[in-house]
Amino acid sequence: PTPRSWSAEAQDRHAMSFPWARQYQPQNALMRFLDEKLPLPRLVYNAVGAGYPVPRNLSYMWNFGVLAGFFLVVQIVTGIVLAMHYASNAQLAFASTEFIMRDVNWGWMLRYLHANGASFFFVVVYIHIFRGLFYSSYKAPREMIWLLGVVIFLLMMATAFMGYVLPWGQMSFWGAKVITGLFGAIPVVGEPIQVWLLGGYAPDNAALNRFFSLHFLLPFVIAGVVILHIWALHIPGSSNPTGIEVKDESDTVPFHPYYTAKDGFGLGVALLVFCLLTFFSPNLLGHPDNYIEANPLSTPALIVPEWYFYPFYAILRAFTADFFFVPAKLMGVLAMFASILVWFFLPWLDRSPVRSGHYRPLFRKFFWFGLIPCMALLFYLGGAHAEEPYIMLSQIATAYYFLHFLVILPIVSAIERPESLPTSITAAVLGEDKEVVKGEYAEPVTV
């Protein structure tokens, strides 16, 4: 019998979304009691267990959402422990960071796990985003999943920037001064916003306290939006490499054990690389100047953010001349924010009825030979000196970046002729032989 804790309306809603999903039926008396009073087992079963059917053709490119969730947990756990020993005071912050590294039990490991965990978090999220771009995961009926994902990315950027300030090294101080100084370019309200962010006219105790508080809080906000992201995913179900919607039960397999095993393998590979970096080259992705205590009277030769901000930093620096009455600095700030905000409009910019890039030959060419090289170039230019030829290359790459999303993508989606799609997910995996698909044979098979 259906537990009383699951209403008829909930059953109908679940049946409409996944009519072939197996219903959760606890056998143990304790589990039946818990399912009736607090249905957490049912929630887990329907969210990540055998009760959640997923397309049978998901590749390892679909592993990165789980990896992102894992590294978010790593950041929260290590961050909580590090916060117990950190002093958010401009006179003590650098010394407290060194205290964590030298005197706190396993403090060096926690800090390196936290610092490199941030880099890995961005790596898997970038791959997750570009997988979504190639397979058009932003199209109906999954627009809300995509929009929440962009919100998560913006929150990640804010959290990472504030975390970069906390060690109070040279890059921390000057990075805070440069980035908060960008708000000063906004007419009329810019300077008051900048002073409000810093709590003064330059980074000091007030700014450090504010950044520490927000850096501690925002990961929990990210976790909340991630829950909404997963919730939105479970309404239409997962996308797949063909871009074809699930038609019947033969197109799906239970999430557990099929994809828990696949995600487990991917997590093992990611952890191997993560541990190799953390224990054998922990400072590879950091900046050496951040091991020098902040000095407001000594400007570094090159002020750069963390590597995962390089593309947007390159876009910011690409604007070197005023545009009519708009200052170059303001143009750079607007372009930097617009480079991410443009992702919000992708569900409406790309009007092609076909989702998967595998069946869109013209889209595929512009993606692999246009967008990907453009982003790789922006990654490189963001860490280079603000001089020629890097400035000119940044301007070219920035122009192409916006052209790709605002001009090329809408035109391509309107004029290209997609290739033929498989009739179903099962046909794409096993072919069109109905007998093989159903597991039926005309003659007995002897093994």
Side-chain angles (χ1 to χ4, degrees):
T2 303
R4 292 193 300 273
S5 58
W6 218 23
S7 67
E9 182 184 354
Q11 294 178 50
D12 292 340
R13 189 164 57 250
H14 187 269
M16 282 191 294
S17 300
F18 305 111
W20 51 90
R22 288 179 284 176
Q23 305 299 333
Y24 178 70
Q25 296 293 344
Q27 303 301 316
N28 183 275
L30 176 61
M31 296 302 290
R32 284 198 297 271
F33 173 82
L34 183 61
D35 185 59
E36 182 177 342
K37 304 301 181 185
L38 185 65
L40 288 176
R42 179 178 300 278
L43 177 65
V44 173
Y45 181 89
N46 289 326
V48 295
Y52 177 47
V54 288
R56 66 191 301 169
N57 62 334
L58 298 189
S59 67
Y60 279 105
M61 291 303 294
W62 268 256
N63 279 47
F64 291 95
V66 170
L67 293 180
F70 172 80
F71 282 109
L72 174 60
V73 172
V74 169
Q75 293 305 98
I76 290 175
V77 172
T78 55
I80 288 172
V81 180
L82 289 172
M84 298 175 185
H85 305 280
Y86 176 76
S88 57
N89 181 286
Q91 282 70 48
L92 301 175
F94 187 83
S96 71
T97 304
E98 290 302 306
F99 169 76
I100 290 170
M101 293 290 292
R102 298 171 185 272
D103 296 325
V104 174
N105 290 334
W106 302 102
W108 61 271
M109 185 180 73
L110 288 169
R111 189 191 172 207
Y112 283 148
L113 286 172
H114 195 70
N116 289 294
S119 291
F120 268 74
F121 193 13
F122 272 92
V123 166
V124 298
V125 167
Y126 274 126
I127 296 173
H128 194 56
I129 289 171
F130 279 90
R131 189 270 295 169
L133 291 174
F134 183 75
Y135 292 105
S136 300
S137 298
Y138 44 79
K139 290 186 177 179
R142 298 177 179 84
E143 303 100 314
M144 186 54 64
I145 305 170
W146 176 261
L147 298 179
L148 287 169
V150 177
V151 171
I152 291 169
F153 185 72
L154 288 170
L155 289 170
M156 285 174 58
M157 293 186 72
T159 306
F161 163 68
M162 293 171 188
Y164 191 45
V165 174
L166 299 186
W168 210 240
Q170 277 287 75
M171 280 297 124
S172 297
F173 176 87
W174 289 100
K177 189 170 181 63
V178 169
I179 298 302
T180 56
L182 299 177
F183 290 93
I186 302 173
V188 184
V189 298
E191 188 174 346
I193 291 175
Q194 182 183 354
V195 172
W196 176 74
L197 285 172
L198 291 175
Y201 293 95
D204 209 334
N205 277 337
L208 194 58
N209 273 293
R210 292 172 188 213
F211 288 173
F212 175 62
S213 298
L214 290 172
H215 182 69
F216 191 90
L217 171 66
L218 285 179
F220 298 99
V221 178
I222 293 173
V225 183
V226 166
I227 292 171
L228 295 178
H229 187 64
I230 297 171
W231 187 2
L233 171 67
H234 279 65
I235 295 172
S238 298
S239 61
N240 65 87
T242 64
I244 302 171
E245 291 298 329
V246 169
K247 290 183 171 62
D248 55 43
E249 188 175 357
S250 66
D251 286 342
T252 66
V253 293
F255 187 86
H256 176 77
Y258 294 97
Y259 288 114
T260 49
K262 199 166 190 175
D263 288 338
F265 176 78
L267 179 59
V269 173
L271 279 175
L272 178 63
V273 179
F274 181 48
C275 290
L276 286 173
L277 179 69
T278 300
F279 294 114
F280 292 96
S281 190
N283 295 304
L284 180 65
L285 301 176
H287 199 288
D289 279 6
N290 231 24
Y291 279 97
I292 303 172
E293 189 170 3
N295 184 357
L297 302 179
S298 176
T299 308
L302 177 64
I303 301 173
V304 291
E306 287 278 38
W307 69 268
Y308 34 78
F309 293 143
Y310 280 178
F312 310 104
Y313 194 56
I315 291 172
L316 170 72
R317 299 192 305 181
F319 293 84
T320 56
D322 295 350
F323 184 76
F324 291 103
F325 298 105
V326 182
K329 186 177 180 180
L330 178 59
M331 286 292 297
V333 173
L334 294 175
M336 181 180 67
F337 285 110
S339 64
I340 301 172
L341 296 179
V342 70
W343 294 350
F344 278 108
F345 301 96
L346 287 179
W348 300 277
L349 290 171
D350 185 359
R351 306 300 297 173
S352 173
V354 176
R355 296 187 182 92
S356 176
H358 287 310
Y359 303 99
R360 301 176 62 186
L362 193 57
F363 168 87
R364 192 165 61 239
K365 289 181 176 64
F366 278 106
F367 183 86
W368 289 114
F369 301 108
L371 181 61
I372 295 298
C374 173
M375 286 300 296
L377 183 59
L378 287 171
F379 264 109
Y380 172 74
L381 295 172
H385 285 271
E387 59 188 24
E388 295 296 350
Y390 304 121
I391 294 176
M392 182 185 66
L393 290 173
S394 296
Q395 292 167 344
I396 294 171
T398 299
Y400 182 84
Y401 179 90
F402 284 104
L403 279 173
H404 179 88
F405 289 115
L406 299 175
V407 179
I408 294 173
L409 188 61
I411 293 175
V412 166
S413 66
I415 67 172
E416 78 172 342
R417 298 185 63 181
E419 298 170 356
S420 299
L421 296 172
T423 56
S424 68
I425 293 173
T426 301
V429 175
L430 299 177
E432 297 288 350
D433 190 335
K434 303 300 182 184
E435 292 183 348
V436 173
V437 169
K438 294 179 181 178
E440 301 172 356
Y441 298 89
E443 298 178 0
V445 178
T446 303
V447 178

